[in-house]
Amino acid sequence: MPHTAPLALATATVDPMTVGGTLMVAADRFADRPALIYDGSEATYTQLLEQVVERARGLIGLGVRPGDHVGILAPNGWDYVVLYYAIEMVGGCAVLLNARYRPDDLGYVVPKARISLLFVGGHAWQFCDYRPMLTEVFPELASWAGGDLHVAAAPALRMVVELGDDRPGLWPAEDVLMAAARDVPVDAVTERAVAVRAEDVGLIIFSSGTTSRPKACMLTHLSLSRMGEAMAHSFRLTEHDRVWDPLPLFHMSTILPMAGCRATGACFIGMRHFSADEAMKLLIERRPTVQYAGFPTIISALVTHPAFERYDQSALRINHVVGPVDLMRRYATLFPGATYVNSYGLTEATGVPCYSDVDDPDEVLFTTSGPICDGMELAIFGEDDAIVPEGSREKSAFAGSGCSPATSTTRTPLPPLSMRKAGCAPETSAVSVPRGASFMKGASRTC
């Protein structure tokens, strides 16, 4: 891809609060800084943008239109990240499907999300083969080899493309995507990127579906960008940071930190799948400044690994993980130079509406989930939907830039005097959310 492609894009008036816009701004501000490390490969922000533009040309060539829902069903990897950014840049809506879905799940989410183009990653088919799963619930795919596609159970689906599968197969593969890019000029990507509005829905991620069918959480470019800035502020990220995050790309626990990295020029370090052996090699080699492991099972696997004592933590300044207070205190002793950061996660609120304030004393860091991020609001409701005092363990409702207030699931507007509206900056942090509070109401757009 010619180096002039990002320069041509940079001359356009692209909204800097769209996902594509934040990547372009990052490529302009932090051109030669490392942006992404994955699968043993790495790229600067300029190089990453070049690859995204090339993939975006392919999407346009395949007929992706603004507003189209483009699904990704794949394991973590380089292709996934580039494809996600490309979908956002051309005005599509990326639908990131849980890579662990079984046939019944796929039979529900693909038509529910109205996916028109589905990318299937065969990078790890030996462990998770999506071909038989998809043909089980959509039998028309068993004999489809390109051309017109009509799936009775998923009427919006018109094409499936396989990436990273080294087996022979019927479905179109990466060569079709690359061929489609040849006749699409970079200017076409520019025009698409300019047309994307920050208020457009750019991402659909399904909730876990713990108690019922998963909900399709629809997030705008604006909420993704603003909450990325809020995350970056909470972690005090700069262009010199290296954020290690081994979590799945179909989850906000990676999408949000990537947004924080774009906002500040930090480098995102991902993993195809978590393995303690591979993780320790990566940590020893790359010496991250931020660990975004999220869950105790991952940290426990690290601290009990034989190579842990060889891990030079001198660069590490933040360790983000959630869990029981006593366990978090123990982890703090094992990462003595890093500040422990807690959080509360909610997909409907763009992943994490509150993080610990790194300037708080240890007691607050260990026992609360931190202040509500700037632009977000929180109120606590009793069983009768009346707002109750702070500290109550009842139902909660979020609203603000990380949500879609027009379609809030709360029944009662959040009154200004009862709202907890605490910015992430220390001087405006009015309250921290208690650990263990029962957060049951999320204010967002779902379907």
Coordinates of all heavy atoms in Angstrom, one line a residue, residues 1 9 23 48-65 82-92 119 177 180-182 184-186 188-190 192-193:
M1 N 0.8 -1.2 0.0 CA 0.0 0.0 0.0 C 0.9 1.2 0.0 O 1.8 1.4 0.8 CB -0.9 0.0 1.2 CG -1.9 1.1 1.3 SD -3.1 0.9 0.0 CE -4.0 2.4 0.2
L9 N -6.0 10.6 3.0 CA -7.1 10.6 4.0 C -7.0 11.8 4.9 O -8.0 12.4 5.3 CB -7.1 9.3 4.8 CG -7.6 8.1 4.1 CD1 -7.3 6.8 4.8 CD2 -9.1 8.2 3.9
L23 N -8.3 6.9 14.7 CA -7.2 6.2 14.2 C -6.4 7.1 13.3 O -5.1 7.1 13.3 CB -7.6 4.9 13.4 CG -6.4 4.1 12.8 CD1 -5.4 3.6 13.9 CD2 -7.0 2.9 12.0
L48 N -0.3 0.8 10.5 CA -1.6 0.2 10.8 C -2.7 0.9 10.0 O -3.5 0.2 9.4 CB -1.9 0.4 12.3 CG -3.2 -0.1 12.8 CD1 -3.4 -1.6 12.5 CD2 -3.4 0.2 14.3
L49 N -2.6 2.2 9.9 CA -3.6 2.9 9.0 C -3.5 2.5 7.6 O -4.6 2.3 6.9 CB -3.4 4.4 9.2 CG -4.4 5.3 8.4 CD1 -5.8 5.0 8.8 CD2 -4.1 6.8 8.5
E50 N -2.3 2.3 7.1 CA -2.2 1.8 5.7 C -2.9 0.5 5.5 O -3.6 0.3 4.5 CB -0.7 1.7 5.3 CG 0.0 3.1 5.2 CD 1.5 2.9 4.9 OE1 2.0 1.7 5.1 OE2 2.2 3.9 4.6
Q51 N -2.7 -0.4 6.4 CA -3.4 -1.7 6.3 C -4.9 -1.6 6.4 O -5.6 -2.3 5.7 CB -2.8 -2.7 7.4 CG -1.3 -3.0 7.2 CD -0.9 -4.1 8.2 OE1 -1.6 -4.9 8.6 NE2 0.4 -3.9 8.6
V52 N -5.3 -0.7 7.3 CA -6.8 -0.5 7.4 C -7.4 0.0 6.2 O -8.5 -0.4 5.7 CB -7.1 0.4 8.7 CG1 -8.5 0.8 8.7 CG2 -6.7 -0.3 10.0
V53 N -6.7 1.0 5.6 CA -7.2 1.6 4.3 C -7.3 0.5 3.2 O -8.3 0.4 2.5 CB -6.3 2.8 3.9 CG1 -6.7 3.2 2.5 CG2 -6.5 3.9 4.9
E54 N -6.3 -0.3 3.1 CA -6.3 -1.4 2.1 C -7.5 -2.3 2.3 O -8.2 -2.7 1.4 CB -5.0 -2.2 2.2 CG -4.9 -3.3 1.2 CD -4.9 -2.9 -0.3 OE1 -4.7 -1.6 -0.5 OE2 -5.1 -3.7 -1.2
R55 N -7.7 -2.7 3.6 CA -8.9 -3.6 3.9 C -10.2 -2.9 3.6 O -11.2 -3.5 3.2 CB -8.8 -4.1 5.4 CG -9.7 -5.2 5.7 CD -9.5 -6.4 4.8 NE -8.5 -7.4 5.4 CZ -7.8 -8.2 4.7 NH1 -7.8 -8.1 3.4 NH2 -6.9 -9.0 5.2
A56 N -10.2 -1.6 3.9 CA -11.4 -0.8 3.7 C -11.8 -0.8 2.2 O -12.9 -0.9 1.8 CB -11.3 0.6 4.2
R57 N -10.8 -0.7 1.3 CA -11.0 -0.7 -0.1 C -11.6 -2.1 -0.5 O -12.6 -2.1 -1.3 CB -9.7 -0.6 -0.8 CG -9.0 0.8 -0.7 CD -7.6 0.8 -1.3 NE -7.6 0.6 -2.7 CZ -6.6 0.1 -3.4 NH1 -5.5 -0.3 -2.8 NH2 -6.7 -0.1 -4.7
G58 N -11.2 -3.2 0.1 CA -11.8 -4.5 -0.2 C -13.2 -4.5 0.3 O -14.1 -5.1 -0.4
L59 N -13.6 -4.0 1.4 CA -14.9 -4.0 1.9 C -15.8 -3.2 0.9 O -17.0 -3.7 0.6 CB -15.0 -3.4 3.3 CG -14.4 -4.1 4.4 CD1 -14.5 -3.4 5.7 CD2 -15.0 -5.5 4.6
I60 N -15.4 -2.1 0.5 CA -16.2 -1.3 -0.5 C -16.3 -2.1 -1.8 O -17.4 -2.2 -2.4 CB -15.5 0.1 -0.8 CG1 -15.5 0.9 0.5 CG2 -16.2 0.8 -1.9 CD1 -14.8 2.2 0.4
G61 N -15.3 -2.8 -2.2 CA -15.3 -3.6 -3.4 C -16.3 -4.7 -3.3 O -16.9 -5.2 -4.3
L62 N -16.5 -5.2 -2.1 CA -17.4 -6.3 -1.9 C -18.9 -5.8 -1.8 O -19.8 -6.6 -1.6 CB -17.1 -7.1 -0.6 CG -15.8 -8.0 -0.7 CD1 -15.6 -8.8 0.6 CD2 -15.9 -9.0 -1.8
G63 N -19.0 -4.5 -1.8 CA -20.4 -4.0 -1.7 C -20.9 -3.6 -0.4 O -22.1 -3.3 -0.2
V64 N -20.0 -3.4 0.6 CA -20.4 -3.0 1.9 C -20.9 -1.5 1.8 O -20.1 -0.7 1.4 CB -19.3 -3.1 3.0 CG1 -19.7 -2.5 4.3 CG2 -18.9 -4.6 3.2
R65 N -22.1 -1.3 2.3 CA -22.6 0.1 2.3 C -22.7 0.7 3.7 O -22.6 0.0 4.7 CB -24.1 0.0 1.7 CG -24.1 -0.5 0.3 CD -25.5 -1.0 0.0 NE -26.0 -2.0 0.9 CZ -27.1 -2.7 0.7 NH1 -28.0 -2.4 -0.2 NH2 -27.4 -3.7 1.6
V82 N -7.4 -5.3 12.2 CA -7.5 -4.5 11.0 C -8.9 -4.4 10.4 O -9.4 -3.4 9.9 CB -6.4 -5.0 10.0 CG1 -6.6 -4.3 8.6 CG2 -5.0 -4.9 10.5
L83 N -9.5 -5.6 10.4 CA -10.9 -5.7 9.8 C -11.9 -4.8 10.6 O -12.7 -4.1 10.1 CB -11.3 -7.1 9.8 CG -12.7 -7.4 9.1 CD1 -12.7 -6.9 7.7 CD2 -12.9 -9.0 9.2
Y84 N -11.8 -4.9 11.9 CA -12.6 -4.1 12.8 C -12.5 -2.6 12.4 O -13.5 -1.9 12.2 CB -12.3 -4.3 14.3 CG -12.8 -3.2 15.2 CD1 -14.2 -3.1 15.4 CD2 -12.0 -2.4 15.9 CE1 -14.7 -2.1 16.2 CE2 -12.5 -1.4 16.7 CZ -13.8 -1.3 16.9 OH -14.3 -0.3 17.8
Y85 N -11.3 -2.1 12.4 CA -11.1 -0.7 12.0 C -11.6 -0.4 10.6 O -12.2 0.7 10.4 CB -9.6 -0.3 12.1 CG -9.1 -0.1 13.5 CD1 -7.8 -0.6 13.9 CD2 -9.8 0.5 14.5 CE1 -7.3 -0.4 15.2 CE2 -9.4 0.7 15.8 CZ -8.1 0.2 16.1 OH -7.6 0.4 17.4
A86 N -11.4 -1.3 9.7 CA -11.8 -1.0 8.3 C -13.3 -0.9 8.2 O -13.9 -0.1 7.5 CB -11.3 -2.1 7.4
I87 N -14.0 -1.8 8.9 CA -15.5 -1.7 8.9 C -16.0 -0.4 9.4 O -16.9 0.3 8.8 CB -16.1 -2.9 9.8 CG1 -15.8 -4.2 9.2 CG2 -17.6 -2.7 10.0 CD1 -16.1 -5.4 10.1
E88 N -15.4 0.1 10.5 CA -15.7 1.4 11.1 C -15.4 2.5 10.1 O -16.2 3.5 10.0 CB -15.0 1.6 12.4 CG -15.2 0.5 13.5 CD -16.6 0.6 14.1 OE1 -17.5 1.3 13.5 OE2 -16.8 -0.1 15.1
M89 N -14.3 2.4 9.4 CA -13.9 3.5 8.5 C -14.8 3.7 7.3 O -15.0 4.8 6.8 CB -12.5 3.3 8.0 CG -11.9 4.5 7.3 SD -10.1 4.4 7.2 CE -9.6 4.9 8.8
V90 N -15.4 2.6 6.8 CA -16.3 2.7 5.6 C -17.7 2.9 6.0 O -18.6 2.9 5.2 CB -16.2 1.5 4.7 CG1 -14.7 1.3 4.3 CG2 -16.7 0.2 5.4
G91 N -18.0 3.1 7.3 CA -19.4 3.4 7.8 C -20.2 2.2 8.1 O -21.4 2.3 8.3
G92 N -19.6 1.0 8.1 CA -20.4 -0.2 8.5 C -20.5 -0.2 10.0 O -19.9 0.6 10.7
F119 N -17.6 -12.4 8.3 CA -16.2 -12.9 8.2 C -16.0 -14.0 9.2 O -16.2 -13.8 10.4 CB -15.2 -11.7 8.4 CG -15.1 -10.8 7.2 CD1 -15.9 -9.6 7.2 CD2 -14.2 -11.0 6.2 CE1 -15.8 -8.8 6.1 CE2 -14.1 -10.2 5.1 CZ -14.9 -9.0 5.0
L177 N -11.4 -10.9 -1.3 CA -11.4 -9.6 -0.6 C -10.3 -8.7 -1.2 O -10.5 -7.5 -1.5 CB -11.2 -9.8 0.9 CG -11.2 -8.5 1.8 CD1 -12.5 -7.8 1.7 CD2 -10.9 -8.9 3.2
A180 N -11.2 -7.6 -4.7 CA -12.2 -6.5 -4.7 C -11.6 -5.2 -4.4 O -12.2 -4.1 -4.8 CB -13.2 -6.9 -3.6
A181 N -10.5 -5.1 -3.8 CA -9.9 -3.8 -3.5 C -9.2 -3.2 -4.7 O -9.0 -1.9 -4.7 CB -8.8 -4.0 -2.4
R182 N -8.9 -3.9 -5.7 CA -8.0 -3.4 -6.8 C -8.7 -2.3 -7.5 O -8.0 -1.3 -7.9 CB -7.7 -4.5 -7.7 CG -6.8 -5.6 -7.1 CD -6.4 -6.6 -8.1 NE -5.7 -7.7 -7.5 CZ -6.0 -9.0 -7.6 NH1 -7.1 -9.3 -8.4 NH2 -5.4 -10.0 -7.0
V184 N -10.9 -0.1 -6.4 CA -11.5 0.9 -5.5 C -10.4 1.9 -5.1 O -9.4 1.5 -4.4 CB -12.0 0.2 -4.2 CG1 -12.6 1.3 -3.2 CG2 -13.1 -0.8 -4.5
P185 N -10.5 3.1 -5.5 CA -9.4 4.1 -5.2 C -9.4 4.5 -3.7 O -10.5 4.4 -3.0 CB -9.8 5.3 -6.1 CG -11.3 5.2 -6.2 CD -11.6 3.7 -6.3
V186 N -8.3 5.0 -3.2 CA -8.3 5.5 -1.8 C -9.3 6.6 -1.6 O -9.8 6.7 -0.5 CB -6.8 5.9 -1.5 CG1 -6.8 6.7 -0.2 CG2 -5.9 4.8 -1.5
A188 N -12.2 6.7 -2.5 CA -13.5 6.2 -2.1 C -13.6 5.9 -0.6 O -14.6 6.1 0.1 CB -13.8 4.9 -2.9
V189 N -12.4 5.5 0.0 CA -12.4 5.3 1.4 C -12.5 6.6 2.1 O -13.1 6.8 3.2 CB -11.0 4.6 1.8 CG1 -11.0 4.4 3.3 CG2 -10.9 3.2 1.1
T190 N -11.8 7.6 1.6 CA -11.9 9.0 2.1 C -13.3 9.5 2.2 O -13.8 10.0 3.2 CB -11.1 10.0 1.3 OG1 -9.7 9.5 1.2 CG2 -11.1 11.4 1.9
R192 N -16.1 7.7 2.2 CA -16.8 7.0 3.2 C -16.5 7.5 4.6 O -17.4 7.6 5.5 CB -16.5 5.5 3.1 CG -17.1 4.8 1.9 CD -18.6 4.7 2.0 NE -19.1 3.8 1.0 CZ -19.3 2.5 1.2 NH1 -19.0 2.0 2.4 NH2 -19.7 1.8 0.2
A193 N -15.2 7.6 4.9 CA -14.8 8.0 6.3 C -15.3 9.4 6.6 O -15.8 9.6 7.8 CB -13.3 8.1 6.4

